[in-house]
């Protein structure tokens, strides 16, 4: 299989594979646009297609979910909720070693997230009381992809941090499999391991709409979390405000920084593991060693021939993959910080030496024994990480995504006397006389009480 996998210098790379653009500004493959035209009868864009689906779900509820599931997934649904007994039956049909792997992953994910701070605090002093109350979100909906490759690991990586945060009700919505009309059985097993409260059958924009609006079967949630395809992400963007969201994840991405000590076969394997996700993924190697670059390039071509999802990986390499040869490791780190990747893998002799220089990344993977695939499944931190350069300001899914903070203010007269005049001054500066009066009346009351005593 012949693919494009160029070796570039930094400046050409900045204008091509390292160039950031909005996640919804990618040139979509013609087959996606053709599919939209077939379904909607006109060549509308994905954003408009999502808008129409959401409008349908808002008005017609379950009926709209069923209609769009039939049109988009080719599956006719009866009940949208998966019966708990069916979940148990399907979970019991999972191979024992798979179930044991889910349990191991769940234990590590829970142990990791229980270390994250998640406590209320209250401070009492002479001025009274201030503090913060940490309250879990009451109802969270988890979207779990189930298209070309069902991702039960994503359920664990999202639901377990929510459980640690003590979310009141946790529901999962995931697409049906054509063969059974049910969600993927390993995804159902993961739902059992993660102790979710209910599983519903729906995919794509209609699933997001159902969780945001609520339908006869699917309850409206307070926040929607979990990655998905372009249509899922567009739906989350359109509904943000009506419902909370964890972010707008785009195509998955990996940047590997490798020096001459790296094994080119392992670097190639890691790049291919990323590229097989979907055709919009990106897989980039940064290295100061041109010799290593050439060896990795050759290894990618050779390993691709044996890859089960080779066609998808080949399409990825054709549009958003490549190798950048830098002047130094420092330049490689600088390029990575500019790009702000979801995954940053340091296949270098002394990875800890460079950690302090990494400013922007969803996750840092240190050395050849700590590679991204372990992070996808069993390392512990959630694999739902910021993409599209949002690692400049965003974080992986964590416990704080599932709680809210309530400020607590209980001040006394001493505090009012000390800080009230400044508040009154600022209120008058802003032209808010009512605000100022609310302060001055209280200050005058304190003054009058003192004069009377």
């Amino acid at each position: 299989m012949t693919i494009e996998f160029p070796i570039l210098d930094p400046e050409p790379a900045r204008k091509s594979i390292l160039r950031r653009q909005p996640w919804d500004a990618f040139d979509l493959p013609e087959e996606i646009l053709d599919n939209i035209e077939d379904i909607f009868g006109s060549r509308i864009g994905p954003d408009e297609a999502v808008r129409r689906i959401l409008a349908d779900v808002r008005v017609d509820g379950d009926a709209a979910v069923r209609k769009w599931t039939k049109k988009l997934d080719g599956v006719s649904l009866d009940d949208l909720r998966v019966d708990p007994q069916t979940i148990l039956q399907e979970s019991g049909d999972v191979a024992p070693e798979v179930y044991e792997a889910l349990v191991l992953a769940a234990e590590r994910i829970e142990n990791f997230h229980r270390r994250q701070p998640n406590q209320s605090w209250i401070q009492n002093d002479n001025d009274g009381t201030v503090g913060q109350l940490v309250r879990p979100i009451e109802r969270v909906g988890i979207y779990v992809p189930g298209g070309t490759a069902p991702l039960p690991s994503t359920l664990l990586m999202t639901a377990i941090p929510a459980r640690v945060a003590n979310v009141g009700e946790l529901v999962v919505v995931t697409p049906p499999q054509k063969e059974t009309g049910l969600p993927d059985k390993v995804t159902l097993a993961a739902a059992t391991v993660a102790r979710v409260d209910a599983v519903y059958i729906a995919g794509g924009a209609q699933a997001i709409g159902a969780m945001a609006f609520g339908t006869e079967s699917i309850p409206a949630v307070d926040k929607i979390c979990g990655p998905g395809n372009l249509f899922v992400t567009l739906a989350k963007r359109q509904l943000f405000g009506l419902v909370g969201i964890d972010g707008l994840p785009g195509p998955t991405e990996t940047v590997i920084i490798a020096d001459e000590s790296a094994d080119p076969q392992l670097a190639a394997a890691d790049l291919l593991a990323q590229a097989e996700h979907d055709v919009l993924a990106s897989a980039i190697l940064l290295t100061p060693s041109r010799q290593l670059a050439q060896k990795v390039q050759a290894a990618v071509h050779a390993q691709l021939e044996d890859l089960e999802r080779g066609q998808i990986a080949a399409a990825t390499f054709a549009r958003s993959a490549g190798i950048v040869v830098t002047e130094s490791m420092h330049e490689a780190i600088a390029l990575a910080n500019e790009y702000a990747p979801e995954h940053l893998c340091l296949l270098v002799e002394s990875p800890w030496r460079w950690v302090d220089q990494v400013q922007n990344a969803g996750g840092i993977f240190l050395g050849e024994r700590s590679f991204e695939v372990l992070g996808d499944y069993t390392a512990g931190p959630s694999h739902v990480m910021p993409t599209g350069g949002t690692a400049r300001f965003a974080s992986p899914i964590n416990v704080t995504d599932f709680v809210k903070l309530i400020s607590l203010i209980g001040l006394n007269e001493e505090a009012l006397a000390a800080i009230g005049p400044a508040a009154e001054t600022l209120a008058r500066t802003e032209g808010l006389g009512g605000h100022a009066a609310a302060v001055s009346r209280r200050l005058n009351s304190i003054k009058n009480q003192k004069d009377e005593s």
Side-chain angles (χ1 to χ4, degrees):
M1 190 181 302
T2 303
I3 60 168
E4 291 286 333
F5 188 42
I7 296 177
L8 304 169
D9 291 329
E11 283 312 308
R14 281 190 172 99
K15 297 174 183 177
S16 56
I17 60 173
L18 292 176
R19 182 171 68 92
R20 284 296 192 190
Q21 57 182 333
W23 54 265
D24 57 348
F26 293 108
D27 292 331
L28 289 176
E30 283 298 314
E31 55 265 30
I32 292 180
L33 297 174
D34 291 342
N35 193 37
I36 292 174
E37 186 172 8
D38 289 342
I39 292 169
F40 290 90
S42 58
R43 208 166 182 78
I44 60 175
D47 210 48
E48 177 59 24
V50 167
R51 197 179 317 280
R52 295 185 189 184
I53 294 171
L54 294 180
D56 249 8
V57 174
R58 184 168 200 161
V59 173
D60 293 332
D62 282 358
V65 173
R66 291 190 179 95
K67 180 181 83 173
W68 288 106
T69 301
K70 177 64 175 175
K71 280 190 173 185
L72 300 175
D73 299 322
V75 178
S76 297
L77 295 176
D78 293 321
D79 293 333
L80 298 186
R81 177 167 176 161
V82 185
D83 180 76
Q85 188 61 38
T86 301
I87 295 175
L88 289 176
Q89 290 172 352
E90 292 290 307
S91 300
D93 197 32
V94 170
E97 65 271 18
V98 174
Y99 198 88
E100 290 168 9
L102 291 172
V103 170
L104 172 65
E107 290 174 350
R108 290 187 62 88
I109 296 164
E110 181 169 348
N111 289 340
F112 177 87
H113 288 89
R114 287 205 179 278
R115 294 177 178 271
Q116 294 180 336
N118 185 33
Q119 293 84 33
S120 302
W121 62 269
I122 295 176
Q123 176 181 315
N124 296 299
D125 57 24
N126 293 334
D127 289 338
T129 302
V130 293
Q132 283 186 333
L133 304 179
V134 177
R135 295 287 187 261
I137 296 173
E138 292 182 24
R139 183 184 286 148
V140 168
I142 305 293
Y143 182 78
V144 180
T148 59
L151 299 176
S153 58
T154 293
L155 191 155
L156 299 179
M157 295 288 182
T158 313
I160 290 174
R163 273 284 170 245
V164 171
N166 293 316
V167 165
E169 185 178 355
L170 192 60
V171 302
V172 166
V173 183
T174 188
Q177 303 294 293
K178 283 188 177 181
E179 301 80 10
T180 63
L182 292 170
D184 167 64
K185 65 182 180 182
V186 183
T187 298
L188 292 176
T192 301
V193 170
R195 305 187 309 281
V196 305
D197 295 295
V199 179
Y200 297 91
I201 310 172
Q206 65 269 30
I208 304 304
M211 286 190 280
F213 303 130
T215 72
E216 298 91 332
S217 298
I218 302 175
V221 302
D222 301 307
K223 188 170 186 177
I224 298 172
C225 297
N229 64 15
L230 173 64
F231 299 93
V232 167
T233 304
L234 288 170
K236 289 169 73 175
R237 182 172 70 175
Q238 290 186 24
L239 293 169
F240 175 62
L242 172 66
V243 67
I245 61 172
D246 54 343
L248 298 172
T252 184
E253 58 199 29
T254 283
V255 168
I256 295 174
I257 297 179
D259 60 17
E260 60 279 353
S261 71
D263 183 330
Q265 298 295 326
L266 295 180
D270 291 346
L271 291 167
L272 286 167
Q274 180 65 27
E276 73 173 354
H277 271 287
D278 66 64
V279 298
L280 297 179
S282 63
I284 297 166
L285 172 66
L286 308 177
T287 179
S289 170
R290 186 168 292 275
Q291 184 179 29
L292 177 73
Q294 293 167 345
K295 290 179 180 179
V296 172
Q297 185 185 51
V300 163
H301 281 88
Q303 292 181 27
L304 184 64
E305 297 296 331
D306 299 323
L307 199 65
E308 186 176 351
R309 291 166 64 89
Q311 293 294 337
I312 294 174
T316 298
F317 277 100
R319 61 172 302 280
S320 53
I323 302 173
V324 184
V325 177
T326 62
E327 288 292 328
S328 64
M329 276 290 296
H330 291 283
E331 185 179 32
I333 295 287
L335 284 173
N337 280 329
E338 288 177 26
Y339 189 73
E342 178 186 16
H343 310 108
L344 179 61
C345 307
L346 301 181
L347 303 188
V348 297
E349 189 171 8
S350 302
W352 280 102
R353 174 188 172 191
W354 304 100
V355 169
D356 286 346
Q357 296 188 34
V358 177
Q359 182 65 30
N360 301 320
I364 306 172
F365 298 82
L366 302 171
E368 291 176 342
R369 298 295 178 265
S370 182
F371 51 104
E372 187 224 319
V373 172
L374 291 183
D376 283 344
Y377 297 110
T378 52
S382 176
H383 74 202
V384 184
M385 295 183 177
T387 63
T390 60
R392 293 175 293 111
F393 55 82
S395 308
I397 282 281
N398 60 83
V399 171
T400 62
D401 285 297
F402 301 103
V403 299
K404 56 194 177 183
L405 302 181
I406 302 173
S407 296
L408 189 65
I409 303 165
L411 303 178
N412 56 27
E413 284 192 358
E414 287 75 11
L416 173 58
I419 67 177
E424 182 180 2
T425 297
L426 292 173
R428 295 194 185 284
T429 299
E430 293 181 350
L432 299 175
H435 283 60
V439 180
S440 63
R441 287 179 183 276
R442 288 172 169 80
L443 292 175
N444 290 335
S445 175
I446 293 173
K447 182 176 181 300
N448 293 335
Q449 289 176 1
K450 288 183 177 180
D451 289 345
E452 291 173 1
S453 62

